[in-house]
C-alpha cells in the first residue's frame, strides 16, 4: 500500500500572541507528511524554488518521507504569512506568494502512479486534478482546500470534487463553499457534489465526519498550552490517512478510528511552533494519545431512568 501527497512545500511566517516565525518549513504537504509518516511511509509531490533549505527536508527523510517527487525549480518558493487572533481561534492571511507553484506542472516519478491512498493537500485545484489524473486506481482520495482557492477557483474545485472520496475542510470553508451557514446543510450540499464523506475540522472543538445517513464527532484533545495552530488541519489529514493506509481497511469502525488519529495529530501540531510539536514523537506516543480519547469520549450505555 502506498500513500502519496501533493500540496504546498512552503516557507511560512507566522505571528501568534506567543511568538513568531519567519520563513519556517511549512506547507500542507510538509505538515501532512510529518504527521502521516509516524504511521506509514509517505511519498511527496510538489515544487520548491532555489531558495528552499532542501537539506532541512532531507533530514525528515529518515522518518519515511520520500521527497523525490519534489522538484526544484528556478525562482522563489511558495510563501505564506499569517496572523492569529489572541484566542488563536481565527487567522488572517497577510500574504500568499505562489512563486514556483504558479507555473508548476506536476509529473509523478516512475511507479508512483500506482498510489493507493492519495491526499490532495491544499494547493491550486488544477494541480490537485493534474496529479489525480496520473494515478491509475487509487483506493481512497482525500482532498483539502481553503478559502483562497474557493474564492479564486471554484469551478475547478467543483470539477475536482466529483472525483474525490473525502473532502476535508474547516467549518468556515464548508460554509463558504456551499453558501450555507448551517454546517449540516452545508455538508449535505457538499455530499451532493461528489464526495462520499465530508470531514469538517472545527479547531479546538474537534471535527465532524458527515456521511449521507449519519454524522460522527470527535473532540479535540484538551490542551492547556497551544502555541501555533498552523498545520493542524494537514496534520489531522496525515493522521487520518496514515492510519487508514496502515490498517489497510476502510470499514466504518476504522473510518471512526482514523478520525481519532487525525484529531490526535492535530493536537501535536498545535503544541509547538511550526513543526516543533512533532519533535521526539514516535508511534507509541501517538497510540497513547489515541487511547486517551477512549476515556475522553466514553458514554456508558443509557440506563432506564429510575
Ligand atoms: P492549515 O493550518 O492546516 O490550514 O495549513 C497551513 C499551511 O497551509 C501553511 O503551512 C501554509 O504554508 C499553507 N498554505 C496557506 N495558504 C495556502 C494556499 N493558498 N495554498 C496552499 N497552501 C497554503
Amino acid at each position: 500500500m502506498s500513500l502519496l501527497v501533493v500540496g504546498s512545500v512552503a516557507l511560512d511566517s507566522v505571528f501568534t500572541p506567543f511568538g513568531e516565525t519567519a520563513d519556517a518549513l511549512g506547507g500542507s504537504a510538509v505538515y501532512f507528511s510529518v504527521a502521516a509518516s509516524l504511521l506509514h511511509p509517505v511519498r511527496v509531490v510538489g515544487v520548491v524554488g532555489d531558495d528552499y533549505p532542501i537539506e532541512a527536508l532531507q533530514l525528515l527523510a529518515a522518518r519515511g518521507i520520500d521527497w523525490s517527487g519534489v522538484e526544484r525549480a528556478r525562482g522563489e518558493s511558495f510563501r505564506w504569512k499569517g496572523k492569529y487572533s489572541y484566542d488563536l481561534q481565527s487567522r488572517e492571511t497577510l500574504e500568499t506568494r505562489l512563486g514556483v507553484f504558479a507555473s508548476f506542472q506536476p509529473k509523478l516519478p516512475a511507479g508512483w502512479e500506482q498510489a493507493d491512498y492519495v491526499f490532495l493537500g491544499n494547493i491550486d485545484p488544477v494541480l490537485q486534478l493534474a496529479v489525480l489524473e496520473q494515478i491509475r486506481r487509487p483506493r481512497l482520495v482525500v482532498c483539502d482546500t481553503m478559502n483562497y482557492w474557493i474564492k479564486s477557483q471554484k469551478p475547478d474545485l467543483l470539477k475536482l470534487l466529483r472525483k474525490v472520496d473525502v473532502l476535508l475542510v474547516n467549518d468556515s470553508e464548508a460554509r463558504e463553499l456551499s453558501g450555507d451557514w448551517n454546517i449540516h446543510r452545508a455538508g449535505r450540499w457538499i455530499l451532493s457534489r461528489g464526495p462520499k464523506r465530508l470531514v469538517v475540522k472545527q479547531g479546538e472543538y474537534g471535527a465532524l465526519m458527515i456521511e449521507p445517513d449519519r454524522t460522527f464527532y470527535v473532540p479535540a484533545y484538551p490542551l492547556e498550552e497551544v502555541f501555533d495552530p498552523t498545520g493542524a488541519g494537514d496534520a489531522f489529514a496525515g493522521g487520518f490517512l496514515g492510519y487508514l493506509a496502515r490498517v489497510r481497511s476502510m470499514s466504518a469502525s476504522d473510518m471512526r478510528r482514523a478520525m481519532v488519529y487525525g484529531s490526535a495529530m492535530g493536537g501535536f501540531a498545535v503544541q509547538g511552533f511550526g513543526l516543533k510539536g512533532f519533535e521526539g514523537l514516535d508511534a507509541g506516543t501517538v497510540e497513547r494519545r489515541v487511547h486517551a480519547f477512549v476515556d475522553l469520549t466514553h458514554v456508558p450505555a443509557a440506563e432506564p431512568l429510575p
Side-chain angles (χ1 to χ4, degrees):
M1 291 292 143
S2 62
L3 172 56
L4 181 142
V5 53
V6 60
S8 51
V9 181
L11 293 172
D12 286 346
S13 299
V14 172
F15 304 86
T16 84
F18 312 111
E20 55 187 76
T21 55
D23 278 351
L25 291 198
S28 52
V30 172
Y31 278 104
F32 175 89
S33 326
V34 168
S37 63
L38 285 157
L39 301 164
H40 195 276
V42 190
R43 292 170 165 177
V44 188
V45 176
V47 63
V48 293
D50 43 24
D51 55 354
Y52 206 86
I54 205 89
E55 336 63 58
L57 283 187
Q58 294 306 350
L59 284 180
L60 297 171
R63 293 167 160 260
I65 307 175
D66 185 343
W67 301 103
S68 53
V70 177
E71 219 179 274
R72 193 159 192 182
R74 285 186 67 166
E76 198 193 30
S77 297
F78 179 98
R79 277 184 170 74
W80 177 75
K81 209 179 258 186
K83 186 174 177 198
Y84 288 87
S85 60
Y86 184 70
D87 59 3
L88 299 176
Q89 284 290 357
S90 59
R91 79 174 173 210
E92 186 191 349
T93 290
L94 302 177
E95 192 178 16
T96 303
R97 269 158 52 196
L98 295 181
V100 288
F101 264 102
S103 51
F104 180 43
Q105 296 194 328
K107 184 153 181 354
L108 302 196
W112 286 26
E113 65 284 348
Q114 306 289 357
D116 299 291
Y117 295 85
V118 179
F119 181 58
L120 304 172
N122 176 24
I123 194 65
D124 187 332
V126 174
L127 296 181
Q128 292 175 312
L129 197 59
V131 167
L132 189 54
E133 279 169 350
Q134 293 175 52
I135 296 174
R136 291 230 175 98
R137 248 183 317 125
R139 290 185 52 158
L140 187 73
V141 179
V142 179
C143 171
D144 187 7
T145 191
M146 91 189 257
N147 43 11
Y148 185 90
W149 304 112
I150 298 172
K151 274 198 189 80
S152 60
Q153 307 262 78
K154 194 162 171 183
D156 293 312
L157 189 56
L158 291 177
K159 190 166 148 203
L160 174 68
L161 276 194
R162 285 189 232 126
K163 301 181 186 216
V164 315
D165 300 301
V166 181
L167 178 71
L168 187 144
V169 285
N170 66 34
D171 46 8
S172 64
E173 291 152 358
R175 290 188 175 107
E176 193 166 338
L177 180 60
S178 63
D180 197 326
W181 61 269
N182 179 285
I183 204 66
H184 304 286
R185 279 199 308 257
R188 191 141 38 81
W189 186 92
I190 289 170
L191 295 186
S192 74
R193 297 297 171 135
K196 297 178 202 67
R197 295 182 171 90
L198 169 69
V199 174
V200 183
K201 297 162 288 173
Q202 301 183 306
E204 69 169 312
Y205 301 112
L208 296 167
M209 178 166 63
I210 302 180
E211 299 176 291
D213 49 357
R214 59 186 188 168
T215 295
F216 174 69
Y217 169 73
V218 61
Y221 186 75
L223 292 168
E224 292 195 12
E225 307 258 48
V226 173
F227 290 103
D228 175 11
T230 310
D234 307 304
F236 186 105
F240 183 84
L241 259 176
Y243 173 78
L244 291 173
R246 171 87 169 240
V247 298
R248 300 170 171 221
S249 154
M250 284 184 272
S251 68
S253 305
D254 278 318
M255 282 289 175
R256 289 180 172 215
R257 289 190 193 105
M259 289 286 288
V260 178
Y261 273 85
S263 187
M265 292 293 188
F268 290 125
V270 306
Q271 279 181 276
F273 271 96
L275 294 168
K276 274 218 167 55
F278 290 99
E279 277 173 14
L281 278 192
D282 58 19
T285 322
V286 176
E287 267 194 290
R288 280 193 291 283
R289 171 98 25 124
V290 163
H291 283 297
F293 278 79
V294 176
D295 187 49
L296 186 63
T297 57
H298 178 70
V299 182
E303 297 280 331
L305 287 172

Coordinates of all heavy atoms in Angstrom, one line a residue, residues 195-253:
P195 N -18.2 13.9 -3.1 CA -17.6 13.2 -2.1 C -18.6 12.3 -1.3 O -19.7 12.6 -1.1 CB -17.0 14.2 -1.1 CG -17.0 15.5 -1.9 CD -18.1 15.4 -2.9
K196 N -18.1 11.1 -0.9 CA -19.0 10.2 -0.1 C -19.0 10.6 1.4 O -19.9 10.3 2.1 CB -18.4 8.8 -0.2 CG -18.5 8.2 -1.6 CD -17.9 6.8 -1.6 CE -17.4 6.4 -3.0 NZ -16.3 7.2 -3.5
R197 N -17.9 11.3 1.8 CA -17.8 11.8 3.2 C -17.2 13.2 3.2 O -16.4 13.5 2.4 CB -16.9 10.9 4.0 CG -17.4 9.5 4.1 CD -16.4 8.6 5.0 NE -17.0 7.4 5.3 CZ -16.8 6.3 4.6 NH1 -16.1 6.3 3.5 NH2 -17.4 5.1 5.0
L198 N -17.7 13.9 4.2 CA -17.1 15.2 4.4 C -16.5 15.3 5.9 O -17.3 14.9 6.8 CB -18.2 16.3 4.3 CG -17.8 17.7 4.7 CD1 -16.8 18.3 3.8 CD2 -19.1 18.6 4.8
V199 N -15.3 15.7 6.0 CA -14.7 15.8 7.3 C -14.6 17.4 7.5 O -14.0 18.1 6.8 CB -13.4 15.2 7.5 CG1 -12.7 15.5 8.8 CG2 -13.5 13.6 7.3
V200 N -15.3 17.8 8.6 CA -15.3 19.3 8.9 C -14.4 19.5 10.2 O -14.8 19.0 11.3 CB -16.7 19.8 9.2 CG1 -16.7 21.3 9.4 CG2 -17.6 19.4 8.0
K201 N -13.3 20.2 10.1 CA -12.5 20.5 11.2 C -13.0 21.7 11.9 O -13.3 22.7 11.2 CB -11.0 20.7 10.8 CG -10.5 19.4 10.1 CD -9.2 19.7 9.3 CE -9.6 20.4 8.0 NZ -8.4 20.9 7.3
Q202 N -13.1 21.7 13.2 CA -13.6 22.8 14.0 C -12.6 23.3 15.1 O -13.0 23.6 16.2 CB -15.0 22.4 14.6 CG -16.0 22.0 13.5 CD -17.3 21.7 14.1 OE1 -17.5 20.9 15.0 NE2 -18.4 22.3 13.6
G203 N -11.4 23.2 14.7 CA -10.3 23.8 15.6 C -10.4 23.1 17.0 O -10.5 21.9 17.1
E204 N -10.4 23.9 18.1 CA -10.4 23.4 19.4 C -11.7 22.6 19.8 O -11.8 22.0 20.8 CB -10.1 24.4 20.5 CG -11.2 25.4 20.7 CD -11.0 26.3 21.9 OE1 -10.6 25.8 23.0 OE2 -11.1 27.5 21.7
Y205 N -12.7 22.7 18.9 CA -13.9 21.9 19.2 C -14.0 20.6 18.5 O -15.0 19.9 18.6 CB -15.1 22.8 18.8 CG -15.2 24.1 19.5 CD1 -14.9 25.3 18.9 CD2 -15.3 24.1 20.9 CE1 -14.9 26.5 19.6 CE2 -15.2 25.3 21.6 CZ -15.0 26.5 21.0 OH -15.0 27.6 21.7
G206 N -12.9 20.2 17.8 CA -12.8 18.8 17.2 C -13.2 18.8 15.8 O -13.0 19.7 15.0
A207 N -13.8 17.7 15.4 CA -14.1 17.5 13.9 C -15.3 16.6 13.8 O -15.6 15.7 14.6 CB -12.9 16.9 13.2
L208 N -16.1 16.8 12.7 CA -17.2 16.0 12.3 C -16.9 15.2 11.1 O -16.2 15.7 10.2 CB -18.4 16.9 11.9 CG -19.0 17.9 13.0 CD1 -19.9 18.9 12.3 CD2 -19.8 17.0 14.0
M209 N -17.5 14.0 11.0 CA -17.4 13.3 9.7 C -18.9 13.1 9.3 O -19.7 12.4 10.0 CB -16.8 11.9 9.9 CG -16.8 11.1 8.6 SD -15.6 9.7 8.6 CE -16.4 8.7 9.9
I210 N -19.2 13.8 8.2 CA -20.6 13.8 7.8 C -20.8 12.8 6.6 O -20.0 12.9 5.6 CB -21.1 15.2 7.4 CG1 -20.9 16.1 8.6 CG2 -22.5 15.2 6.8 CD1 -21.3 17.6 8.3
E211 N -21.7 11.8 6.8 CA -21.9 10.8 5.7 C -23.4 11.0 5.4 O -24.2 11.7 6.1 CB -21.7 9.4 6.3 CG -20.2 9.3 6.7 CD -19.9 7.9 7.3 OE1 -20.4 7.6 8.4 OE2 -19.2 7.1 6.6
P212 N -23.8 10.4 4.2 CA -25.2 10.7 3.8 C -26.3 10.3 4.9 O -27.2 11.1 5.0 CB -25.4 9.7 2.6 CG -24.0 9.5 2.1 CD -23.1 9.6 3.3
D213 N -26.0 9.3 5.7 CA -27.1 8.9 6.6 C -26.7 9.0 8.1 O -27.4 8.7 9.0 CB -27.5 7.5 6.3 CG -26.3 6.5 6.2 OD1 -25.2 7.1 6.3 OD2 -26.5 5.3 6.1
R214 N -25.5 9.5 8.4 CA -25.1 9.7 9.8 C -23.9 10.6 9.9 O -23.2 10.9 9.0 CB -24.9 8.4 10.5 CG -23.7 7.6 9.8 CD -23.7 6.3 10.5 NE -22.5 5.6 10.1 CZ -22.0 4.5 10.6 NH1 -22.6 4.0 11.7 NH2 -21.0 3.9 10.2
T215 N -23.7 11.1 11.2 CA -22.6 12.0 11.5 C -21.9 11.5 12.7 O -22.5 11.0 13.6 CB -23.2 13.4 11.7 OG1 -23.8 13.9 10.5 CG2 -22.1 14.4 12.1
F216 N -20.5 11.6 12.6 CA -19.7 11.2 13.8 C -18.9 12.4 14.2 O -18.5 13.2 13.4 CB -18.8 10.0 13.3 CG -17.8 9.6 14.3 CD1 -18.2 8.9 15.5 CD2 -16.4 9.9 14.1 CE1 -17.2 8.5 16.4 CE2 -15.5 9.5 15.1 CZ -15.9 8.8 16.2
Y217 N -18.7 12.5 15.5 CA -18.0 13.6 16.1 C -16.8 13.2 16.9 O -16.9 12.2 17.7 CB -18.9 14.4 16.9 CG -18.3 15.5 17.7 CD1 -17.8 16.6 17.1 CD2 -18.1 15.3 19.1 CE1 -17.1 17.6 17.9 CE2 -17.5 16.3 19.9 CZ -17.0 17.4 19.2 OH -16.3 18.4 20.0
V218 N -15.7 13.8 16.7 CA -14.5 13.5 17.6 C -14.1 14.9 18.2 O -14.0 15.9 17.5 CB -13.4 12.8 16.9 CG1 -12.8 13.6 15.7 CG2 -12.2 12.5 17.8
P219 N -13.8 14.9 19.5 CA -13.4 16.2 20.1 C -11.9 16.4 19.8 O -11.2 15.5 19.3 CB -13.6 16.0 21.6 CG -13.5 14.5 21.8 CD -14.0 13.9 20.5
A220 N -11.5 17.6 20.1 CA -10.0 17.9 20.0 C -9.5 17.4 21.4 O -10.2 17.5 22.4 CB -9.7 19.3 19.8
Y221 N -8.2 17.0 21.4 CA -7.6 16.6 22.7 C -7.5 17.9 23.6 O -7.0 18.9 23.1 CB -6.2 16.0 22.4 CG -5.6 15.5 23.7 CD1 -6.1 14.3 24.2 CD2 -4.6 16.1 24.3 CE1 -5.5 13.8 25.4 CE2 -4.0 15.6 25.5 CZ -4.5 14.5 26.0 OH -3.9 14.0 27.2
P222 N -7.9 17.8 24.8 CA -7.9 19.1 25.6 C -6.4 19.4 26.0 O -5.8 18.6 26.6 CB -8.7 18.7 26.9 CG -9.0 17.3 26.8 CD -8.5 16.7 25.5
L223 N -6.0 20.6 25.6 CA -4.6 21.0 25.8 C -4.6 22.3 26.6 O -5.4 23.3 26.3 CB -3.9 21.3 24.5 CG -3.7 20.1 23.6 CD1 -3.2 20.5 22.2 CD2 -2.6 19.2 24.2
E224 N -3.7 22.4 27.6 CA -3.6 23.7 28.3 C -2.7 24.7 27.6 O -2.8 25.9 27.9 CB -3.2 23.4 29.8 CG -4.2 22.7 30.5 CD -4.0 22.7 32.0 OE1 -3.1 23.4 32.5 OE2 -4.7 21.8 32.7
E225 N -1.8 24.2 26.8 CA -0.9 25.1 26.1 C -1.0 24.9 24.6 O -0.7 23.8 24.1 CB 0.6 24.8 26.5 CG 0.8 24.8 28.0 CD 1.5 26.0 28.5 OE1 1.0 27.1 28.1 OE2 2.4 25.9 29.3
V226 N -1.4 25.9 23.9 CA -1.5 25.9 22.5 C -0.6 27.0 22.0 O -0.8 28.2 22.4 CB -2.9 26.0 22.0 CG1 -3.0 26.2 20.5 CG2 -3.7 24.8 22.4
F227 N 0.3 26.7 21.1 CA 1.2 27.8 20.6 C 1.0 28.3 19.2 O 1.0 29.5 18.9 CB 2.7 27.3 20.8 CG 3.1 27.2 22.2 CD1 3.2 26.0 22.8 CD2 3.4 28.4 22.9 CE1 3.6 25.9 24.1 CE2 3.8 28.3 24.2 CZ 3.8 27.1 24.9
D228 N 0.7 27.3 18.3 CA 0.6 27.7 16.9 C -0.3 26.7 16.1 O 0.1 25.6 15.9 CB 2.1 27.7 16.3 CG 2.1 28.0 14.8 OD1 1.1 28.4 14.3 OD2 3.2 27.8 14.2
P229 N -1.5 27.2 15.8 CA -2.4 26.3 15.1 C -2.0 25.9 13.7 O -2.7 25.1 13.0 CB -3.7 27.0 15.1 CG -3.6 28.2 16.0 CD -2.1 28.5 16.0
T230 N -1.0 26.6 13.1 CA -0.7 26.3 11.7 C -0.4 24.9 11.4 O 0.4 24.2 12.2 CB 0.6 27.1 11.3 OG1 0.4 28.5 11.7 CG2 0.9 27.1 9.8
G231 N -1.0 24.3 10.4 CA -0.7 23.0 10.0 C -1.6 21.9 10.7 O -1.5 20.7 10.4
A232 N -2.4 22.4 11.7 CA -3.2 21.4 12.4 C -4.1 20.6 11.5 O -4.3 19.4 11.6 CB -4.1 22.1 13.5
G233 N -4.7 21.3 10.5 CA -5.6 20.6 9.5 C -4.9 19.6 8.7 O -5.4 18.5 8.4
D234 N -3.7 19.9 8.2 CA -2.9 19.0 7.4 C -2.4 17.8 8.3 O -2.4 16.7 7.8 CB -1.7 19.7 6.8 CG -2.2 20.9 6.0 OD1 -3.0 20.8 5.2 OD2 -1.7 22.0 6.4
A235 N -2.0 18.1 9.5 CA -1.6 17.0 10.4 C -2.8 16.1 10.7 O -2.7 14.9 10.8 CB -1.1 17.6 11.7
F236 N -4.0 16.7 10.8 CA -5.2 15.9 11.0 C -5.3 14.9 9.8 O -5.5 13.7 10.0 CB -6.5 16.8 11.1 CG -7.7 16.1 11.4 CD1 -8.3 16.2 12.6 CD2 -8.4 15.3 10.4 CE1 -9.5 15.5 12.9 CE2 -9.5 14.6 10.7 CZ -10.1 14.7 11.9
A237 N -5.2 15.5 8.6 CA -5.3 14.6 7.4 C -4.2 13.6 7.4 O -4.5 12.4 7.0 CB -5.2 15.5 6.2
G238 N -3.0 13.9 7.9 CA -1.9 12.9 8.0 C -2.3 11.8 8.9 O -2.0 10.6 8.6
G239 N -2.9 12.1 10.1 CA -3.3 11.0 11.0 C -4.4 10.2 10.4 O -4.4 9.0 10.5
F240 N -5.3 10.8 9.8 CA -6.5 10.2 9.2 C -6.1 9.2 8.1 O -6.3 8.0 8.2 CB -7.4 11.2 8.6 CG -8.7 10.7 8.0 CD1 -9.8 10.5 8.8 CD2 -8.9 10.5 6.7 CE1 -11.0 10.1 8.3 CE2 -10.1 10.1 6.1 CZ -11.1 9.9 6.9
L241 N -5.3 9.7 7.1 CA -4.9 8.8 6.0 C -3.8 7.8 6.4 O -3.7 6.7 5.9 CB -4.5 9.6 4.8 CG -5.5 9.8 3.7 CD1 -5.0 10.7 2.7 CD2 -5.9 8.5 3.1
G242 N -2.9 8.3 7.2 CA -1.7 7.5 7.7 C -2.3 6.2 8.4 O -1.8 5.1 8.2
Y243 N -3.3 6.4 9.2 CA -3.9 5.3 9.9 C -4.6 4.4 8.9 O -4.4 3.1 9.0 CB -5.0 5.8 11.0 CG -5.7 4.7 11.6 CD1 -5.1 3.9 12.6 CD2 -7.0 4.3 11.1 CE1 -5.8 2.8 13.1 CE2 -7.7 3.3 11.7 CZ -7.1 2.5 12.7 OH -7.8 1.4 13.2
L244 N -5.4 4.9 8.0 CA -6.1 4.0 7.0 C -5.2 3.2 6.2 O -5.4 2.1 5.9 CB -7.1 4.9 6.2 CG -8.3 5.5 6.9 CD1 -9.0 6.4 6.0 CD2 -9.2 4.4 7.5
A245 N -4.0 3.9 5.8 CA -3.0 3.2 5.0 C -2.4 2.1 5.8 O -2.1 1.0 5.3 CB -2.0 4.1 4.4
R246 N -2.2 2.4 7.1 CA -1.5 1.4 8.0 C -2.4 0.2 8.2 O -1.9 -1.0 8.1 CB -1.2 2.1 9.3 CG -0.7 1.3 10.4 CD 0.8 1.1 10.4 NE 1.3 0.5 11.6 CZ 2.1 1.1 12.4 NH1 2.6 2.3 12.2 NH2 2.5 0.5 13.5
V247 N -3.7 0.4 8.4 CA -4.5 -0.8 8.7 C -5.1 -1.4 7.5 O -5.8 -2.5 7.5 CB -5.7 -0.4 9.7 CG1 -5.1 0.0 11.1 CG2 -6.6 0.7 9.2
R248 N -5.0 -0.8 6.3 CA -5.5 -1.3 5.0 C -6.9 -1.6 5.1 O -7.4 -2.6 4.6 CB -4.7 -2.5 4.6 CG -3.3 -2.4 4.5 CD -2.6 -3.7 4.3 NE -1.2 -3.5 3.9 CZ -0.6 -4.2 3.0 NH1 -1.2 -5.2 2.4 NH2 0.7 -4.0 2.8
S249 N -7.7 -0.8 5.8 CA -9.1 -1.0 5.9 C -9.9 0.3 5.8 O -9.3 1.3 6.2 CB -9.4 -1.7 7.3 OG -10.7 -1.4 7.7
M250 N -11.1 0.2 5.3 CA -11.9 1.4 5.3 C -13.3 1.1 5.9 O -14.3 1.6 5.4 CB -12.0 1.9 3.8 CG -10.7 2.6 3.4 SD -10.9 3.3 1.8 CE -10.4 2.0 0.8
S251 N -13.3 0.1 6.8 CA -14.5 -0.2 7.5 C -15.1 1.0 8.2 O -14.3 1.9 8.5 CB -14.3 -1.4 8.5 OG -13.5 -0.9 9.5
A252 N -16.4 0.9 8.6 CA -16.9 2.1 9.3 C -16.2 2.3 10.6 O -15.9 3.5 11.0 CB -18.4 1.8 9.5
S253 N -15.8 1.3 11.3 CA -15.1 1.4 12.6 C -13.7 2.1 12.3 O -13.3 3.0 13.1 CB -14.8 0.1 13.3 OG -16.1 -0.6 13.4

